[in-house]
Amino acid sequence: FPPELKLARPIHLTNLALHIPGLSIHALRLNRAQPEPVWTLHAHDRHGQLIIYLTGRGRQLLDGQELECRPGSVVYVPPGTAHAWTHRMSTTPLALVLDLVLLPSRYTAHPVSVMPQAALTQVKKAARSLAGLANPGQREHLFSVAAAVMEIMSCAMQAAGWLKPYNRYGDANQQALVKFMER
């Protein structure tokens, strides 16, 4: 793994069973796929996937459309959608892949987006915390695992525009408009 991640071990969490209204997360894994000479198309009928590129560059083939991906790219693959990937450079991408069921809404239209560097840093930190657990499937790690996975989802969903970021200082646009009108 790249030195900036310093992951202690691979991550492969199955049977997560995390549920909130409109979202069920079934599995999370850290993938470093091996280069393939041709696109290997496949689809998942029972769940979709959320792919978050942590390092490297690649191309996702999603329903016949080729998408360029780089660190911070968030790709949503709806259930039943044919997809594949290929790498762009000599280093294969390292990506988090979440198997999930996301209820469709008007906000899930964009197949690929890029998260800001600060959000990517948060995702990498959450991945490090998951990789640092000796046995993440143990009951005593239940809340730590859930918190890290939800942190990853929050960053990805904000980047994709499915969640609005929370601004504890109020709506800055309204304040700017009031100040403009005062002037």
Side-chain angles (χ1 to χ4, degrees):
F1 294 113
E4 79 257 16
L5 288 180
K6 296 178 186 161
L7 295 171
R9 58 184 47 87
I11 303 170
H12 191 139
L13 304 172
T14 57
N15 302 319
L16 283 175
L18 295 173
H19 303 282
I20 59 172
L23 174 67
S24 296
I25 303 170
H26 303 291
L28 179 143
R29 67 191 161 282
L30 186 65
N31 275 3
R32 182 181 294 281
Q34 296 305 312
E36 297 177 4
V38 295
W39 295 102
T40 306
L41 282 172
H42 65 283
H44 309 277
D45 291 330
R46 295 180 179 246
H47 62 81
Q49 284 188 326
L50 192 69
I51 304 165
I52 304 167
Y53 279 69
L54 300 178
T55 64
R57 293 182 180 271
R59 289 184 310 211
Q60 277 299 138
L61 186 63
L62 183 63
D63 208 18
Q65 180 184 10
E66 235 178 89
L67 307 168
E68 293 292 326
C69 298
R70 62 181 178 85
S73 290
V74 178
V75 180
Y76 175 62
V77 181
T81 302
H83 62 284
W85 84 277
T86 188
H87 71 289
R88 283 277 322 255
M89 298 178 159
S90 60
T91 331
T92 57
L94 182 65
L96 284 173
V97 179
L98 291 101
D99 295 341
L100 49 79
V101 175
L102 179 64
L103 292 182
S105 76
R106 61 187 174 140
Y107 300 111
T108 55
H110 304 291
V112 67
S113 55
V114 179
M115 65 177 60
Q117 185 60 44
L120 181 58
T121 301
Q122 280 183 276
V123 168
K124 289 178 179 180
K125 181 179 177 185
R128 276 193 305 271
S129 73
L130 288 171
L133 296 173
N135 189 351
Q138 288 180 332
R139 185 171 174 81
E140 58 266 16
H141 297 304
L142 179 68
F143 290 110
S144 298
V145 168
V149 172
M150 294 313 258
E151 177 76 16
I152 291 166
M153 279 303 301
S154 177
C155 291
M157 292 180 83
Q158 284 182 28
W162 302 337
L163 290 178
K164 291 186 177 181
Y166 174 71
N167 182 356
R168 69 181 198 188
Y169 300 108
D171 189 353
N173 288 339
Q174 279 186 335
Q175 292 173 358
L177 183 59
V178 168
K179 287 183 182 189
F180 174 78
M181 293 301 290
E182 286 175 343
R183 283 194 304 261

